[in-house]
Amino acid sequence: MSQSVEPPILPEGNPDREVNCEVALESAFAALTTSEAQGWTPQETAATLLKIATEHAHRLEAAAAAELPTSKDNAKADVPAKNGDKVRVETIRPKSKKH
């Protein structure tokens, strides 16, 4: 099960780039959510995809934090901090189905 993801059609900084990324990832995501045919429940699949995505976002946040110069470093090196590298992480829980 290999799904190709289309490259971005909008430049970085474009306000619609996030939507462009969502559209590019939709088919790959849809392929992942067919896991029910393999015996996984939709809730297991959703929770696991959320966990993987959250862990990935935390790794990106940690890597960006390690690369960002501190204000002390900026004074020494006279280099501006990379404000665009920050990643916001939110916890999202899937809604449980009511029977």
Side-chain angles (χ1 to χ4, degrees), residues 26-76:
E26 279 180 344
S27 63
F29 180 79
L32 289 172
T33 59
T34 62
S35 61
E36 187 174 355
Q38 300 300 320
W40 301 105
T41 67
Q43 292 81 8
E44 288 171 321
T45 300
T48 301
L49 288 172
L50 178 61
K51 179 182 177 190
I52 291 168
T54 301
E55 289 173 354
H56 181 68
H58 285 294
R59 283 192 300 274
L60 291 174
E61 185 177 55
E67 291 178 8
L68 289 175
T70 64
S71 57
K72 187 186 243 183
D73 293 335
N74 285 343
K76 289 180 186 176

